[in-house]
Amino acid sequence: WRPSLEAGPLRYGDVLRMSAEGRCYEQLQDEQRLGKALSDYLSDYNVHVGSSTPPLRVVFFEDAIDHVLRILRVSQLPYGHMLLVGTPGCGGRSLCTLAA
């Protein structure tokens, strides 16, 4: 068995619907729709945070999208905990803030 790289990465989540009642955990196949949904969440966060803190500026490249989806999946679990390890200034805190 060898995974097919032509199909793209396997991504699952419930981020495509903004309303809480219509969400379902599904395979995310449309990369443009996923990027648009994450950008919408980012702009919504920046509008609601107000002028007390600087707005988040995040570039959603493939690894950043994968990390946000992982953070969301773990944070939705009961007693879900995650340890983020990485170089300071690489965006881990911004991704966690956005996922929260």
Side-chain angles (χ1 to χ4, degrees), residues 11-18 20 23-26 28 33-42 45 56 58 60 63-84 91-100:
R11 292 183 174 138
Y12 288 87
D14 61 352
V15 297
L16 293 182
R17 294 180 182 92
M18 294 286 277
R23 287 187 166 193
C24 66
Y25 197 75
E26 61 189 341
L28 306 171
R33 190 171 165 209
L34 176 60
K36 171 130 178 41
L38 291 175
S39 296
D40 290 345
Y41 281 113
L42 179 64
Y45 173 82
L56 281 180
V58 178
F60 292 111
D63 287 336
I65 292 172
D66 290 339
H67 290 312
V68 167
L69 293 175
R70 283 186 200 111
I71 294 167
L72 283 169
R73 185 177 63 238
V74 170
S75 66
Q76 291 172 353
L77 294 172
Y79 304 107
H81 291 61
M82 180 177 247
L83 177 66
L84 295 175
R93 184 178 293 174
S94 297
L95 294 178
C96 281
T97 302
L98 179 62

